[in-house]
């Protein structure tokens, strides 16, 4: 407010009353969340446990059901192949029936097929039921992030931190739980997963409320073929095929390594059962989780996405070559597996961040399409590793992994000119977590 001063009079001194500054808002604690958020986070953890849960019990299934290593590794193949194919269409499903319904349908499928796998009498039945499990997992994990973000308190960044924590804990704990229950019976991990997911189902259906519909902002419905059409994007296609060959190596390590570990221990007169395998891959999972959540952001912000991708692919190729050479040493294999977990954790985050940066496609479509191709790459590895090991030798699958990692590097080299948009990691944690979700292995 200004005041005029008449000539010859004393000036009027303007007085401003300074209003007190509002007290800074107290930051919402990440632990103070609605109970519905914890229900979804728990189910997420169990869902990601399912990836590595069967790893420690593969040799036990081979013995109990008189199956070859190649047959039991198909438990990964059927699961990953169906998950990958379904990823192309989960956006179409959830845009029509809603997030909560998609979550619950996914959980029902996981519960049913996990229990059926535990009751199976042949390895062929388990392979088939794992395929159904993969379908349920694709429906669940493709919508879990948006459900947590919608229900969480304290902003989306806090929700993402919870989601990433659930992902990391699930990947790490899965092999440990599989080893503990598998030391009692190979059926234990399957029934255990079904029971835990049933608890998650009850919690979500009771506690998670469907969002209120806003007539002014109708839900965008994706076309059935949107995921497949996304592969026409050149940058996404380069990254998807990079991930396909990389994920082949990822699942050579995860699905095949229990067999040379057990064989190396037997050669030295020691027993290496489900419990011991569970501990090894628990260490791998912890390394993967720490690198994904903490190490990867530091490296990508310091050096950029593409240099980190090349460095991690090179590191993983070296670890696979070392595993091929020293596959008869239990200690060496354990060291290489855990170090590879660090590289894989960084690689997962950096690669999926690059997907978010390199294309102008909607993030949900880009990440689901990329992940669909990636899961298919993981599905091929277990199907090939067993027969190659039997025909050529125990180190051969690791050499194949070295070769596919080299192909990944070449794809990035020759397709690098298409990735000019991907200069830095994505600016939002939500997009980063969404990408990691659909690419988490």
């Amino acid at each position: 407010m200004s005041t005029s001063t008449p000539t010859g009079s004393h000036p009027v001194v303007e007085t401003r009353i300074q209003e007190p500054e509002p007290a800074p808002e107290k930051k919402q604690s990440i632990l103070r969340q609605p109970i519905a958020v914890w229900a979804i986070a728990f189910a997420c953890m169990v869902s990601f446990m399912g990836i590595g849960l069967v790893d420690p019990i593969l040799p036990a299934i081979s013995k109990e059901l008189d199956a070859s290593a190649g047959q039991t590794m198909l438990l990964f193949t059927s699961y990953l192949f169906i998950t990958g194919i379904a990823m192309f269409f989960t956006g179409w499903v959830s845009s029509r029936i809603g997030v909560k319904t998609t979550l619950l349908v996914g959980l029902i499928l996981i519960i049913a097929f996990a229990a059926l796998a535990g009751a199976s009498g042949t390895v062929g039945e388990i392979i088939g039921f794992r395929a159904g499990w993969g379908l349920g997992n694709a429906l669940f994990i493709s919508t879990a992030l948006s459900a947590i973000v919608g229900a969480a308190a304290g902003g989306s960044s806090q929700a993402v931190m919870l989601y990433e924590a659930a992902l990391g804990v699930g990947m790490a704990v899965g092999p440990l739980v599989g080893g503990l229950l598998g030391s009692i019976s190979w059926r234990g991990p399957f029934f255990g997963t079904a029971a835990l997911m049933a608890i998650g189902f009850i919690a979500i259906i009771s506690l998670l409320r469907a969002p209120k519909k806003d007539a002014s902002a109708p839900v965008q419905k994706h076309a059935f073929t949107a995921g497949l059409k996304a592969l026409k994007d050149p940058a996404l296609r380069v990254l998807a095929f990079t991930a396909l060959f990389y994920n082949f190596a990822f699942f050579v390590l995860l699905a095949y390594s229990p067999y040379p570990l057990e064989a190396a221990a037997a050669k030295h007169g020691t027993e290496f059962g489900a419990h011991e395998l569970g501990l090894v891959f628990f260490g791998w999972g912890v390394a993967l989780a720490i690198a994904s959540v903490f190490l990867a952001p530091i490296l990508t912000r310091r050096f950029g996405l593409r240099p980190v991708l090349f460095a991690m692919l090179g590191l993983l190729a070296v670890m696979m070559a070392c595993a091929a050479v020293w596959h008869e040493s239990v200690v060496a294999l354990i060291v290489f597996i855990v170090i590879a977990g660090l590289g894989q954790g960084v690689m997962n985050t950096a690669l999926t961040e690059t997907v978010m940066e390199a294309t102008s496609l909607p993030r949900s479509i880009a990440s689901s399409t990329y992940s669909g191709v990636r899961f298919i790459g993981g599905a091929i590895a277990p199907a090939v590793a067993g027969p190659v090991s039997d025909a050529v030798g125990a180190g051969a699958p690791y050499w194949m992994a070295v070769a596919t990692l080299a192909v990944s590097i070449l794809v990035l080299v020759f397709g690098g000119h298409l990735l000019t948009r991907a200069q830095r990691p994505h600016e939002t944690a939500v997009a980063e977590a969404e990408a990691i979700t659909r690419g988490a292995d």
Side-chain angles (χ1 to χ4, degrees), residues 219-411:
V219 178
Q220 181 183 1
K221 293 184 178 181
H222 297 299
F224 182 74
T225 57
L228 294 172
K229 288 181 178 178
L231 285 173
K232 293 180 180 179
D233 184 284
L236 181 60
R237 193 163 58 243
V238 166
L239 293 169
F241 280 98
T242 299
L244 184 147
F245 291 105
Y246 156 67
N247 232 34
F248 182 98
F250 185 104
F251 278 96
V252 164
L253 182 82
L254 186 61
Y256 172 68
S257 292
Y259 293 98
L261 276 169
E262 186 186 45
K267 188 173 182 179
H268 294 86
T270 58
E271 184 178 352
F272 212 82
H275 181 66
E276 290 78 12
L277 287 170
L279 290 173
V280 170
F281 284 97
F282 172 69
W284 166 85
V286 170
L288 182 85
I290 290 173
S292 296
V293 178
F294 301 108
L295 184 58
I298 294 173
L299 293 177
T300 56
R301 282 166 176 77
R302 183 175 178 84
F303 300 107
L305 285 166
R306 289 179 62 196
V308 170
L309 290 178
F310 284 119
M312 291 304 106
L313 287 170
L315 171 65
L316 290 170
V318 170
M319 290 299 101
M320 291 297 185
C322 290
V325 173
W326 286 287
H327 66 270
E328 294 185 348
S329 169
V330 175
V331 174
L333 274 178
I334 292 173
V335 171
F336 299 143
I337 287 169
V338 174
I339 294 176
L342 289 171
Q344 289 168 333
V346 174
M347 185 68 190
N348 288 350
T349 300
L351 188 57
T352 48
E353 283 178 356
T354 309
V355 171
M356 294 297 97
E357 286 293 321
T359 176
S360 59
L361 292 168
R363 290 169 184 162
S364 60
I365 296 297
S367 58
S368 60
T369 299
Y370 151 80
S371 299
V373 176
R374 181 178 175 181
F375 274 114
I376 291 171
I380 296 170
V384 174
V388 168
S389 175
D390 293 338
V392 182
Y398 292 121
W399 287 120
M400 289 180 61
V402 172
T404 60
L405 289 167
V407 173
S408 288
I409 293 173
L410 290 174
V411 172

Side-chain angles (χ1 to χ4, degrees), residues 38-327:
W38 293 113
I40 304 168
F42 171 78
C44 286
M45 182 194 73
V46 179
S47 177
F48 285 108
M49 280 172 54
I51 295 176
L53 192 77
V54 301
D55 210 42
I57 60 173
L58 292 179
I61 292 175
S62 292
K63 292 175 183 176
E64 292 289 333
L65 300 181
D66 194 24
S68 67
Q71 287 176 309
T72 53
M73 278 189 282
L74 290 176
L75 269 66
F76 277 100
T77 295
S78 61
Y79 175 86
L80 293 169
F81 182 76
I82 296 301
T83 298
I85 295 298
M87 279 289 186
F88 288 103
F89 309 106
T90 51
W92 175 79
V93 173
S94 62
S95 69
R96 280 158 174 77
I97 66 175
V99 169
K100 181 177 180 179
T101 303
T102 306
L103 286 175
L104 295 176
V105 170
L107 286 171
I108 290 171
L109 291 174
I110 294 172
I111 293 165
F113 285 109
L116 287 169
S120 299
T122 67
V123 70
E125 291 178 359
I126 304 177
I127 292 169
F129 293 138
R130 280 281 285 179
W133 188 341
L135 175 60
N137 200 54
L139 291 170
F140 179 80
I141 66 175
S142 65
T143 49
L145 176 67
S146 59
I148 284 187
V149 170
S156 59
S157 62
Q158 301 250 356
V160 167
M161 289 176 65
L162 280 174
Y163 183 83
E164 289 181 343
L167 184 157
V169 171
M171 290 291 286
V173 172
L176 184 63
V177 172
L180 291 172
L181 296 177
S183 62
I184 302 171
S185 168
W186 66 262
R187 301 179 188 273
F190 296 120
F191 289 131
T193 299
L196 291 172
M197 276 304 202
I199 295 172
F201 176 86
I202 294 171
I204 289 175
I205 199 172
S206 303
L207 303 171
L208 180 63
R209 295 180 180 179
K212 294 180 180 180
K213 294 183 179 180
D214 184 356
S216 63
V219 178
Q220 181 183 1
K221 293 184 178 181
H222 297 299
F224 182 74
T225 57
L228 294 172
K229 288 181 178 178
L231 285 173
K232 293 180 180 179
D233 184 284
L236 181 60
R237 193 163 58 243
V238 166
L239 293 169
F241 280 98
T242 299
L244 184 147
F245 291 105
Y246 156 67
N247 232 34
F248 182 98
F250 185 104
F251 278 96
V252 164
L253 182 82
L254 186 61
Y256 172 68
S257 292
Y259 293 98
L261 276 169
E262 186 186 45
K267 188 173 182 179
H268 294 86
T270 58
E271 184 178 352
F272 212 82
H275 181 66
E276 290 78 12
L277 287 170
L279 290 173
V280 170
F281 284 97
F282 172 69
W284 166 85
V286 170
L288 182 85
I290 290 173
S292 296
V293 178
F294 301 108
L295 184 58
I298 294 173
L299 293 177
T300 56
R301 282 166 176 77
R302 183 175 178 84
F303 300 107
L305 285 166
R306 289 179 62 196
V308 170
L309 290 178
F310 284 119
M312 291 304 106
L313 287 170
L315 171 65
L316 290 170
V318 170
M319 290 299 101
M320 291 297 185
C322 290
V325 173
W326 286 287
H327 66 270

